[in-house]
């Protein structure tokens, strides 16, 4: 029997992971990046961009649920959501589970990613593509946030940004955070992918330092996504109101029960636990 081919990711210096591939479904270059989608033995269907894992069908919920439901349930009245990136629509799918949401706008620079994910990740995003509240914009999210029409528009902005390489570089740094602040409505939140602390501790330090310059409140919470190698994944948040307080966690638990949400990862106990930081991660948080 022929040995199965492998897909290798070398995101972190001195460390790599490989997956046995059973079938390649897409392998092409867009104007922005190298897109590959393939089925694997252990991780389900996988998409990589420039050979960096973006999503797997097996564990996407650990990422999408926590960026979405945690801030939405604490807020309690989210009506308009913007997703920066997120071309696989897994986060959009979760946001649309909330009946009070009137609009979800996804802005991704690479239309080909969206097209391929619509075709090949239907189990994750089919409902989102059919939902009338969903708007997909093929555009530069940095530029979109700066538009007059985006001013004070969203209750939640989710930055499903890649690592700070290639076209993703514009989605990090002070100017980006300033634009996010300008696009949020009063009382709104923003949540951000902030790397794997074990291999990318500087992402936490830099992000929280910069967020504190633009938002009255900001902080960190955690999830675990097995294919984002390194253990814990850091998710940062920012807004005018605190996130993760006892009152907020209690409010979120009530809202979760009332909404009857069906999630593969999120639940009220995970919500509360996400704010418990191991000591070595807590030390990365600026005083």
């Amino acid at each position: 029997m022929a040995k199965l081919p492998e897909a290798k990711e070398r995101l972190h210096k001195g460390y790599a992971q490989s997956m046995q591939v059973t079938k390649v479904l897409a392998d092409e270059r867009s104007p922005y990046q190298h897109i590959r989608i393939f089925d694997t033995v252990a991780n389900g269907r996988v998409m990589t961009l420039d050979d960096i894992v973006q999503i797997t069908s097996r564990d996407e919920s650990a990422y999408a649920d926590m960026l979405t439901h945690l801030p939405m349930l604490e807020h309690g009245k989210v009506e308009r959501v913007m997703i920066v990136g997120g071309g696989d629509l897994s986060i959009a799918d979760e946001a649309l589970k909330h009946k009070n949401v009137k609009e979800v706008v996804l802005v991704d620079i690479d239309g080909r990613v969206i097209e391929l994910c619509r075709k090949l990740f239907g189990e994750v995003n089919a409902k989102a593509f059919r939902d009338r509240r969903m708007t997909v914009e093929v555009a530069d999210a940095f530029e979109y946030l700066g538009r007059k029409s985006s001013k004070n528009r969203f209750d939640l902005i989710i930055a499903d940004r890649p690592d700070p390489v290639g076209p993703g570089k514009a989605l990090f740094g002070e100017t980006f955070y300033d634009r996010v602040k300008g696009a949020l409505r009063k009382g709104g939140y923003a949540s951000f992918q902030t790397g794997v602390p074990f291999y990318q501790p500087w992402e936490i330090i830099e992000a929280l330092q910069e967020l504190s310059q633009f938002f009255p409140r900001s902080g960190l919470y955690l999830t675990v996504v097995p294919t984002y190698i390194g253990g814990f994944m850091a998710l940062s948040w920012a807004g005018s109101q605190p996130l993760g307080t006892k009152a907020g966690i209690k409010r979120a638990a009530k809202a979760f029960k009332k909404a009857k949400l069906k999630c593969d990862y999120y639940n009220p106990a995970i919500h509360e636990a996400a704010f418990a930081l191991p000591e070595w991660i807590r030390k990365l948080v600026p005083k």
Side-chain angles (χ1 to χ4, degrees), residues 10 20 26 37 39-40 43 45 47 83 93 108 124 139 141 155 168 171 188 208 213 215 221 258 262:
R10 295 183 177 88
Q20 287 186 303
I37 300 176
D39 289 333
T40 67
N43 296 83
R45 187 157 293 180
M47 179 174 71
I83 302 168
D93 183 76
D108 196 305
V124 171
D155 299 298
L171 305 180
L208 293 182
Q213 297 177 41
F215 294 91
Y221 62 99
K258 183 179 179 180
K262 294 182 179 180

Side-chain angles (χ1 to χ4, degrees), residues 45-220:
R45 187 157 293 180
V46 179
M47 179 174 71
T48 64
L49 299 178
D50 292 332
D51 296 322
I52 298 173
V53 175
Q54 304 298 311
I55 182 174
T56 84
S57 60
R58 188 171 180 191
D59 64 10
E60 55 83 22
S61 63
Y63 181 72
D65 282 14
M66 295 299 279
L67 276 170
T68 308
H69 299 306
L70 189 149
M72 289 186 77
L73 290 167
E74 281 206 38
H75 183 287
K77 297 180 180 179
V78 171
E79 294 182 345
R80 303 191 185 280
V81 179
M82 177 184 174
I83 302 168
V84 175
D88 55 68
L89 267 77
S90 61
I91 288 174
D93 183 76
E94 296 303 320
L96 290 163
K97 289 180 180 179
H98 294 257
K99 294 180 180 179
N100 55 305
V101 168
K102 296 179 179 178
E103 176 187 41
V104 174
V105 180
L106 182 142
V107 185
D108 196 305
I109 199 170
D110 198 334
R112 189 56 181 155
V113 168
I114 298 169
E115 291 172 2
L116 288 170
C117 286
R118 183 170 192 167
K119 179 181 178 182
L120 299 172
F121 276 94
E123 85 175 84
V124 171
N125 60 35
K127 289 182 180 179
F129 275 112
R130 292 195 301 265
D131 199 304
R132 293 181 179 180
R133 297 171 294 166
M134 183 77 232
T135 300
V136 176
E137 295 270 358
V138 179
D140 181 339
F142 181 80
E143 183 273 330
Y144 188 94
L145 282 164
R147 295 179 187 178
K148 189 175 181 180
S149 60
S150 297
K151 189 73 173 177
N152 300 319
R153 180 176 172 183
F154 301 101
D155 299 298
L156 175 64
I157 297 174
I158 302 172
D160 180 17
R161 56 193 181 184
D163 289 276
V165 295
K169 285 183 179 180
L171 305 180
F172 291 77
E174 295 178 7
T175 308
F176 173 67
Y177 296 129
D178 190 31
R179 291 194 174 192
V180 168
K181 179 184 177 181
L184 282 177
R185 296 170 72 178
K186 184 178 180 180
Y189 289 113
S191 58
F192 310 85
Q193 184 275 109
T194 318
V196 177
F198 192 76
Y199 289 115
Q200 300 162 303
W202 61 87
E203 283 198 32
I204 290 175
I205 297 168
E206 291 175 1
L208 293 182
Q209 286 177 340
E210 291 165 350
L211 286 170
S212 67
Q213 297 177 41
F214 296 96
F215 294 91
R217 303 295 184 102
S218 58
L220 197 71

Side-chain angles (χ1 to χ4, degrees), residues 201-273:
W202 61 87
E203 283 198 32
I204 290 175
I205 297 168
E206 291 175 1
L208 293 182
Q209 286 177 340
E210 291 165 350
L211 286 170
S212 67
Q213 297 177 41
F214 296 96
F215 294 91
R217 303 295 184 102
S218 58
L220 197 71
Y221 62 99
L222 303 174
T223 188
V224 178
V225 188
T227 42
Y228 295 162
I229 290 299
F232 293 109
M233 161 152 271
L235 307 177
S236 55
W237 64 271
S240 59
Q241 303 296 323
L243 197 65
T245 64
K246 289 183 179 180
I249 292 168
K250 186 176 180 179
R251 183 169 62 250
K254 288 182 179 179
F256 177 78
K257 185 177 181 180
K258 183 179 179 180
K260 298 180 180 179
L261 292 175
K262 294 182 179 180
C263 302
D264 290 326
Y265 187 89
Y266 177 90
N267 60 43
I270 285 290
H271 184 133
E272 183 174 9

